[in-house]
Amino acid sequence: AQWHYPFENHETFEAQFPADYIAEGVDQTRGWFYSLLALSTILFDQTPFRSVVVNDQVLDAKGLKMAKSRGNAVDPWEALDAYGADVTRFYFMAGSNPWVPKRWDPAALRETDRKLFATLRHTYRFFALYANEESWSHDAPSSDVGARHDLDRWILARLDATVEAVRVAFDGFDLTTAARRIQEFTLDDMSNWYVRRSRDRFWATGPTAEAGVSDDAFATLHECLVTTSRLLAPLAPFLSDWLHRSLTGASVHLADFPETGARTEPELVVTMRDVRQLATLGRAAREEAGVRTRQPLAALHAVIPDGRTLSEPMSDLLADELNVKQVVLLGESGDLIRLSAKPRFGVLGPKHGGRTPTVAKALAALEGEPLQRLRAGESVEIEVDGERISVDPEDVSVVEEAQTELAMASGGGYVAALDTDLSDELLTEGRAREIVNRVQRLRRDAGLEVADRIRLGIAGAEPVERAATEHTGYIAGETLAVEVLVGEGEVGGLDLTTVEIDDLSVTIGVERIAG
C-alpha cells in the first residue's frame, strides 16, 4: 500500500519486498504479524517479512503486569527524564532478549548508567585530559600496530574480536548479545585493564620516556573509543554521538559501521588471559591473608594450565599488577596444592548399585594425574575388583587443599600463591607507597591540576621518615614533587596536614609551585 502497488512502482516494490524484519509487541501477534502474513500469502504466496522481532511486556519490579488500577504503571516520559533514553534502551536490550518479559527496576537502570555510560564518559575524559596536556592529535603519526606495546596489540585484538561478535549478533537480530559484548569490552578490557595498566604511558613524555610510547597509547585508546562509539550507536544513539563528535568532530550516525579486522594475536590473547586470571587469584589470596594492596610482597608462585609460561614483559606486568617483586612459575601445582576426590554417592548409586561403596573407596584413593583430568572435566578409568570402569567428572568433587604456608587461591587449573613474609625493606617500601597515596589525596583536595608541580614536606616517626628518604625519587615521580623535604625541621612554611600511616602520625605539606 505504501508504494501504491500494484497500480505503480512495480520495480520499487519488488526490490523491497519482502521486508528485512518487522518489530512489534507480543500483543500484536494476531492483529499485525498474522494479518500481514495472511494477506501476503493470499496475494503473493510468500511471507511479507524475513525476520520477526517480538517485544514482550514490561512488568514492574515484582514481575507484575503494569496497570493503572494496580498503581504500578510507569509514566515513560518521567522515566526518560530521570534516566535518559540511552540508559533506558540499553537496559532493556542488555538485560534479556526482546521476546522475554522485562522488569522495570529503577535500581538496575541506575546501575546500567553507573557501569557502562559513566565508565565511557570517564574513560573519554581521562583520554582528553592527557591528550590535551601532551598536545596529542589523532592526526599525529603512530607506530605500526605490530611494533606497539603488548598492551596496545592486545586491546586492538580484543577490539576486532568484539567488532566481529557484535556484527554477527546484529546480523542475527540478537541485540542482547551485541549489547553485552560491547559492555564487556568497555568495562573489562578497555577500562579496567588496558587504561588502568597503561596509565603511566599517557604521561610518559619526559626525557626518560620510551620514544613513541605515549603517542602509541593515545592512538590505541582513540581508536578503541571511536570504534566503541560506532558499535554502540544503534543501541545508545545520543551518548555515542556525543563521544564520536568529541573524538572526531563528526556525527557517529554519518560514519560507517565498523568492519571486522584481522588483528587476532591468538598467543598474546591467551597469555594476557593467563596474566589476568592469575591477577584475580592473587588479589583474592592477598585479601584472604589481610595484606593491603599497596604493601609490596616478595614473590608470587604461580601455575598456569598446560604448562604455559609467561614472557619477561608479561611476568613484569603481572608482578606490577600484584605489587610483588618477582613471579616464580612452577611447572605443576603439586608443590602448592593437594588434590583429593570426594565421591558423590547420589550420582554413583544409580550407576553402580551394590558396588557403590567399593567404587567410592577407589575414587577416594585417587591421586595425581587422574584427579587433574577429572578437575579439568575429563573422564578417567579406574580399576575396581579387577575390572576397568569409567568415572565421569560429575561422579566426584575434586577438593583442593593448600600444602604450603603461602597465601593461596586457585581455580580452573590456575594457582596463585603469595609469600606474605614482610622484610624491613618491604615494609619501608610499603610506607613509601602509603605516603604517595596520602599526598595524592591532598593534591585532589587542594584542587591541583594533574600537571601541577609541588613542593612536598614529610615529617613523622622514624620509620616514615626513613621510607621518605630511601624512596624520595619514587615519591617525587608519583606526586610531581620537584622538591621533597624530610624531617620536622624541613617542613616549616608549608601548609601542613596530619594523616595516619600504619598507626603512625605523619605530617605532610603540599605547596603548588607557580609556573
Side-chain angles (χ1 to χ4, degrees):
Q2 75 184 49
W3 296 117
H4 201 215
Y5 181 88
F7 304 103
E8 57 180 322
N9 299 320
H10 283 244
E11 291 184 1
T12 302
F13 174 78
E14 290 169 0
Q16 299 195 19
F17 186 85
D20 288 329
Y21 75 97
I22 184 172
E24 256 295 354
V26 68
D27 54 325
Q28 292 293 331
T29 301
R30 182 180 64 179
W32 190 232
F33 295 147
Y34 172 72
S35 297
L36 290 177
L37 181 60
L39 282 170
S40 182
T41 302
I42 293 170
L43 294 173
F44 308 109
D45 197 26
Q46 70 176 106
T47 176
F49 34 73
R50 295 186 176 94
S51 299
V52 180
V53 180
V54 181
N55 300 302
D56 210 308
Q57 299 291 331
V58 178
L59 311 176
D60 68 10
K62 297 179 180 179
L64 298 175
K65 185 176 179 179
M66 290 186 183
K68 291 183 179 180
S69 59
R70 285 198 180 103
N72 64 348
V74 173
D75 185 326
W77 295 111
E78 291 179 2
L80 292 178
D81 287 341
Y83 306 107
D86 279 347
V87 173
T88 305
R89 285 165 60 93
F90 197 88
Y91 163 73
F92 279 134
M93 285 183 280
S96 59
N97 289 310
W99 50 88
V100 176
K102 301 287 193 298
R103 294 195 180 193
W104 179 257
D105 186 352
L109 268 84
R110 288 191 290 271
E111 183 70 3
T112 298
D113 186 32
R114 184 188 69 82
K115 289 176 67 176
L116 177 64
F117 293 90
T119 296
L120 264 178
R121 290 190 291 266
H122 291 160
T123 303
Y124 165 73
R125 286 166 183 153
F126 168 85
F127 166 82
L129 175 66
Y130 290 103
N132 291 332
E133 190 69 34
E134 303 295 344
S135 300
W136 183 86
S137 167
H138 59 80
D139 296 324
S142 56
S143 304
D144 291 338
V145 172
R148 295 188 196 179
H149 193 283
D150 284 346
L151 281 164
D152 296 336
R153 293 188 293 113
W154 170 78
I155 193 64
L156 292 174
R158 293 291 303 130
L159 178 66
D160 281 1
T162 302
V163 169
E164 181 177 7
V166 171
R167 288 190 71 97
V168 169
F170 275 153
D171 287 344
F173 296 91
D174 186 354
L175 306 181
T176 301
T177 294
R180 289 176 178 177
R181 288 301 297 266
I182 295 170
Q183 181 168 272
E184 176 186 320
F185 173 80
T186 301
L187 298 179
D188 298 338
D189 295 338
M190 182 168 64
S191 176
N192 291 339
W193 189 253
Y194 175 75
V195 171
R196 191 168 57 79
R197 292 307 321 157
S198 301
R199 274 183 175 273
D200 290 351
R201 300 172 60 229
F202 289 96
W203 53 75
T205 54
T208 61
E210 297 178 51
V213 165
S214 288
D215 286 345
D216 287 349
F218 282 123
T220 300
L221 184 54
H222 183 270
E223 180 179 351
C224 288
L225 286 169
V226 169
T227 303
T228 299
S229 71
R230 294 177 181 177
L231 292 174
L232 194 60
L235 306 175
F238 299 106
L239 177 115
S240 62
D241 198 52
W242 165 79
L243 180 59
H244 197 270
R245 288 177 184 272
S246 301
L247 291 163
T248 70
S251 172
V252 72
H253 305 299
L254 300 178
D256 291 336
F257 198 76
E259 295 285 347
T260 302
R263 298 172 297 194
T264 56
E265 298 279 4
E267 292 184 6
L268 180 57
V269 169
V270 170
T271 302
M272 195 68 78
R273 185 177 66 221
D274 292 339
V275 169
R276 296 178 74 185
Q277 184 62 33
L278 287 174
T280 298
L281 293 172
R283 287 191 292 269
R286 182 186 278 268
E287 184 175 353
E288 181 68 22
V291 181
R292 63 177 180 261
T293 303
R294 285 187 289 273
Q295 173 59 60
L297 298 176
L300 166 73
H301 300 268
V303 175
I304 302 175
D306 302 323
R308 292 193 299 273
T309 59
L310 299 177
S311 65
E312 184 175 347
M314 285 295 180
S315 184
D316 291 343
L317 176 65
L318 178 59
D320 189 59
E321 171 68 13
L322 289 178
N323 196 11
V324 298
K325 294 302 180 183
Q326 65 172 329
V327 174
V328 180
L329 288 175
L330 306 176
E332 54 185 41
S333 59
D335 294 336
L336 297 176
I337 62 173
R338 178 174 58 251
L339 300 180
S340 60
K342 185 177 180 181
R344 292 174 173 165
F345 287 92
V347 178
L348 293 173
K351 290 183 178 181
H352 302 287
R355 287 202 307 173
T356 297
T358 305
V359 173
K361 184 177 180 180
L363 287 174
L366 285 177
E367 57 185 23
E369 182 187 3
L371 287 178
Q372 295 176 7
R373 291 174 57 191
L374 285 168
R375 183 181 60 177
E378 301 177 24
S379 297
V380 300
E381 285 192 347
I382 64 173
E383 186 171 318
V384 178
D385 295 335
E387 179 185 350
R388 303 292 294 179
I389 66 170
S390 178
V391 177
D392 299 321
E394 63 266 20
D395 295 338
V396 296
S397 295
V398 179
V399 180
E400 298 177 345
E401 297 177 283
Q403 291 197 123
T404 173
E405 296 299 320
L406 302 177
M408 193 187 75
S410 61
Y414 295 88
V415 181
L418 292 170
D419 183 351
T420 56
D421 288 339
L422 298 177
S423 64
D424 288 340
E425 290 79 8
L426 290 172
L427 286 169
T428 298
E429 184 179 345
R431 294 187 185 105
R433 289 175 177 264
E434 294 292 339
I435 290 172
V436 168
N437 173 261
R438 303 308 191 277
V439 174
Q440 299 291 37
R441 292 185 193 176
L442 293 175
R443 283 182 60 100
R444 184 170 60 250
D445 293 344
L448 297 181
E449 299 294 335
V450 293
D452 285 344
R453 268 53 178 177
I454 62 170
R455 179 177 290 106
L456 176 62
I458 303 166
E462 187 276 335
V464 175
E465 292 191 0
R466 175 153 52 90
T469 301
E470 293 183 8
H471 296 278
T472 297
Y474 163 75
I475 294 171
E478 292 293 315
T479 62
L480 298 186
V482 299
E483 184 179 12
V484 179
L485 309 170
V486 181
E488 291 287 350
E490 301 293 330
V491 299
L494 297 177
D495 185 11
L496 303 178
T497 302
T498 300
V499 299
E500 294 289 325
I501 295 177
D502 290 343
D503 296 326
L504 300 173
S505 180
V506 183
T507 301
I508 298 177
V510 173
E511 178 183 77
R512 180 181 178 275
I513 296 179

